Amino acid sequence: MKRMAVIHMLSLSIFFVLLFTFNLTCCEVKKFPLLMPNVYPARPDLYICTPVRIVDDKTFYIVGFEPNATMHVAHHMLLFGCGHPGSNKEIWDCGEMSAADSYSTLKKAPPCRDGNHVLYAWARNAKSLTLPDDVGFQVGKGTGIQYLVLQVHYTKPFPEGQTDNSGLFLMYTEEPQSKLAGVLLLGVGGIIPPKSQTYMETACEIEENKVIHPFAYRTHTHTLGRVVSGYRVTRDETGEDHWSLLGKRDPLTPQMFYPIFDSTPIKYGDRLAARCTMDSSNRNRYTQVGPTNNDEMCNFYIMYYVKNDTPLTRKYCTTVGPPYYRWALDKENDLNNIPDEEASTLD
Ligand code: CU
Ligand code: CU
């Protein structure tokens, strides 16, 4: 009797130990602070990046983000997933700034050297995105994401001696998630002529046999963007294209992820399209696509999840842009019923 009790106790304790380690190593949702290491923003409009390396023998699922922007000094924060970070320093200057700017004492580099997926965006004065239930970003082993890089935009220089540790708390688990998140970037290259209104357009077909569930979108341009719109284009049996608006906004509003307008699943054979309406009426020079504030960008991000599947292999949907590419000239995607007016007007 006594012996039984001992065995029972023993097995019970083994059970607890197992449960305990299982919880600790596997499926518990943990919190990782990805914060600026007490940085001192010495000049206005400084973008600082800091990286974290993901251990290479494990796969993690990021299931939530908790912004920790102290004292409201951060204008925006972006989280990038990269193959390699832009720099091997603890912090670097990762702004889209004029090349002539020699002010900074920090090394200049882009957030990512390769990879470059925007996983999360936070902007002051805007409500932050929460991932839908059971949705996670897969990072680490078996993914292209070996590093996470946090970018914080500081608008004002700090008083001497004052530092900041704004950043994000990443909620993560090792438990595989049934819905994996991905981001598809619709982007446009090209040149914008002076004193004009220019459309920058892109379109591409989903050529992977997956069903993707879009849930958020983000727009990005520099200074010339007035309207950015994105669409799913489906063709009916009669050959007519139906354009459903996924998102549209003034890109000068905070550049975060916003809820998608239409969450109808996107399937094999559907096409995606985006347009940026650029206004250079006050500019006397040509503007190229590039990373600095003298250049422009035209980006429409679609954040989505797939059920019991891996995200799209395709991460980008890009065209050469103006003056060579236009929706109307796209023979490959053969678009009809182009919503010319709707795509360029804000409601
Ligand atoms: Cu900002
Ligand atoms: Cu840009």
Side-chain angles (χ1 to χ4, degrees):
M1 196 60 207
K2 206 175 165 187
R3 204 168 137 200
M4 276 297 285
V6 169
I7 290 168
H8 188 72
M9 283 266 288
L10 209 71
S11 60
L12 209 68
S13 62
I14 286 169
F15 176 73
F16 274 124
V17 168
L18 277 178
L19 201 73
F20 190 61
T21 43
F22 186 66
N23 260 336
L24 272 186
T25 58
C26 170
C27 303
E28 191 189 27
V29 173
K30 288 178 262 185
K31 203 172 180 175
F32 181 86
L34 178 49
L35 306 172
M36 282 294 156
N38 294 313
V39 298
Y40 169 66
R43 60 170 179 86
D45 272 320
L46 184 60
Y47 291 61
I48 303 181
C49 275
T50 193
V52 60
R53 192 193 152 95
I54 303 160
V55 291
D56 41 30
D57 59 340
K58 277 184 180 166
T59 306
F60 297 102
Y61 301 84
I62 301 174
V63 293
F65 307 95
E66 249 177 49
N68 177 61
T70 52
M71 303 180 294
H72 285 266
V73 293
H75 178 260
H76 81 246
M77 296 194 284
L78 279 178
L79 179 69
F80 296 88
C82 324
H84 292 90
S87 160
N88 48 23
K89 296 277 187 324
E90 189 189 17
I91 58 166
W92 67 94
D93 178 341
C94 57
E96 293 184 328
M97 289 286 132
S98 100
D101 178 9
S102 55
Y103 234 45
S104 184
T105 50
L106 289 173
K107 192 193 151 172
K108 265 182 201 291
C112 296
R113 201 174 79 204
D114 53 37
N116 197 353
H117 309 269
V118 177
L119 303 186
Y120 178 78
W122 174 92
R124 192 169 64 202
N125 310 325
K127 226 180 136 239
S128 71
L129 168 88
T130 44
L131 294 179
D133 288 343
D134 307 317
V135 171
F137 279 101
Q138 190 182 27
V139 299
K141 192 185 174 190
T143 73
I145 299 173
Q146 252 38 262
Y147 288 82
L148 296 171
V149 174
L150 171 75
Q151 179 191 66
V152 177
H153 174 196
Y154 296 95
T155 26
K156 292 193 196 113
F158 273 33
E160 228 29 78
Q162 202 176 310
T163 60
D164 180 63
N165 65 349
S166 290
L168 298 172
F169 289 102
L170 307 175
M171 315 304 288
Y172 71 98
T173 175
E174 283 183 58
E175 184 183 5
Q177 301 293 300
S178 60
K179 297 173 181 171
L180 294 185
V183 175
L184 185 65
L185 170 56
L186 280 64
V188 186
I191 296 163
I192 302 157
K195 302 270 170 205
S196 70
Q197 195 190 61
T198 304
Y199 295 155
M200 302 178 82
E201 296 173 331
T202 183
C204 62
E205 190 178 326
I206 299 296
E207 292 164 321
E208 293 168 65
N209 197 8
K210 293 174 188 286
V211 177
I212 75 170
H213 300 262
F215 62 90
Y217 79 100
R218 175 179 183 258
T219 62
H220 173 74
T221 63
H222 296 172
T223 48
L224 302 181
R226 293 295 171 266
V227 184
V228 181
S229 50
Y231 292 88
R232 176 186 61 253
V233 187
T234 47
R235 176 157 298 178
D236 68 19
E237 316 77 60
T238 64
E240 295 285 319
D241 281 340
H242 300 270
W243 294 63
S244 15
L245 195 57
L246 297 175
K248 175 162 75 166
R249 64 188 306 114
D250 171 355
L252 297 177
T253 56
Q255 295 184 356
M256 329 226 324
F257 281 98
Y258 293 94
I260 203 102
F261 288 8
D262 180 349
S263 58
T264 309
I266 298 163
K267 298 192 182 77
Y268 174 80
D270 285 351
R271 285 152 293 161
L272 294 169
R275 173 195 279 178
C276 301
T277 303
M278 314 301 280
D279 176 12
S280 66
S281 54
N282 291 320
R283 194 172 274 188
N284 291 316
R285 60 178 175 87
Y286 282 87
T287 307
Q288 290 191 336
V289 165
T292 78
N293 249 346
N294 292 326
D295 309 316
E296 263 306 331
M297 282 193 186
C298 167
N299 293 162
F300 186 92
Y301 294 80
I302 298 171
M303 195 181 276
Y304 64 89
Y305 66 80
V306 285
K307 281 184 197 162
N308 303 311
D309 200 351
T310 50
L312 293 173
T313 313
R314 174 171 220 156
K315 306 280 184 255
Y316 305 97
C317 166
T318 53
T319 61
V320 291
Y324 305 108
Y325 178 90
R326 275 167 54 202
W327 282 340
L329 302 176
D330 185 336
K331 290 208 175 68
E332 204 182 314
N333 289 297
D334 182 33
L335 301 155
N336 65 53
N337 293 330
I338 291 169
D340 214 32
E341 222 184 284
E342 187 203 70
S344 292
T345 45
L346 291 168
D347 314 297

